[in-house]
């Protein structure tokens, strides 16, 4: 995803246009929200999996995973990701690679607390699914959207 400079063969230091970067980041966030919303509906409403989270942060009492929590957390993380993408691409296309690495690390780390919830492993993995799906969707959409600007 880097662009070679004609004289040196090194990556270009020219910032990617801010408009397409923001558009890619925001579209990726929206896509992740839609995908996680659809998966929540499938798991909770159609398959009645019964995903549960702590009622209070750090608490042991569990309540059903609300759609609003899934949508809000996915949207918030996606918007933060869009801002980080913009910041990292201001120095050039190599920022996209650094952003992708950070997105994968953040996606994996954000899923870890699901394993501390006192519920079955299958339900823990159901919660992890939201984090992994959001990460994959965001990476795929940003890559697809920015492909035309980095070639």
């Amino acid at each position: 995803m880097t662009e070679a400079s004609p004289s040196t063969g090194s990556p270009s230091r020219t910032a990617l246009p801010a408009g397409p970067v923001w558009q890619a980041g925001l579209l990726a966030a929206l896509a992740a929200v839609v995908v996680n919303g659809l998966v929540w509906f499938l798991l909770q409403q159609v398959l009645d999996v019964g995903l549960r989270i702590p009622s209070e942060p750090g608490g042991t009492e569990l309540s059903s995973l609300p759609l609003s929590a899934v949508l809000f957390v996915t949207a918030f993380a996606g918007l933060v990701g869009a801002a980080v993408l913009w910041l990292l691409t201001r120095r050039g296309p190599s920022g996209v690679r650094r952003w992708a690495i950070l997105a994968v690390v953040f996606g994996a780390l954000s899923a870890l607390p699901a394993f501390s919830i006192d519920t079955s492993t299958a339900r823990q993995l159901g919660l992890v699914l939201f984090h992994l799906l959001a990460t994959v969707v965001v990476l795929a959409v940003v890559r697809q959207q920015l492909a035309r600007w980095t070639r």
Side-chain angles (χ1 to χ4, degrees):
M1 286 196 178
T2 59
E3 184 177 309
S5 169
S7 59
T8 65
S10 63
S12 171
R13 297 287 179 213
T14 306
L16 294 176
V21 169
W22 274 110
Q23 180 181 357
L26 295 175
L27 185 60
L30 177 63
V33 168
V34 169
V35 166
N36 272 353
L38 291 172
V39 170
W40 179 91
F41 180 79
L42 176 68
L43 292 177
Q44 293 290 84
Q45 301 298 312
V46 176
L47 300 175
D48 197 23
V49 172
L51 297 177
R52 302 176 67 73
I53 59 170
S55 299
E56 296 178 11
T60 56
E61 184 180 329
L62 300 179
S63 61
S64 183
L65 175 65
L67 176 61
S68 60
V70 171
L71 299 180
F72 175 78
V73 170
T74 305
F76 182 77
L79 293 174
V80 170
V84 171
L85 175 65
W86 173 74
L87 287 171
L88 290 175
T89 57
R90 290 177 58 196
R91 298 199 130 190
S94 64
V96 176
R97 181 178 300 123
R98 283 180 268 164
W99 173 83
I101 292 167
L102 283 173
V104 169
V105 169
F106 178 78
L109 290 176
S110 72
L112 292 179
F115 294 110
S116 68
I117 298 174
D118 187 22
T119 189
S120 70
T121 302
R123 287 188 172 138
Q124 290 173 340
L125 292 174
L127 294 170
V128 168
L129 178 66
F130 291 107
H131 297 267
L132 297 181
L133 279 175
T135 302
V136 168
V137 167
V138 164
L139 288 168
V141 171
V142 165
R143 180 180 171 95
Q144 186 270 331
Q145 290 293 306
L146 291 182
R148 63 182 153 211
W149 297 101
T150 57
R151 286 187 181 156

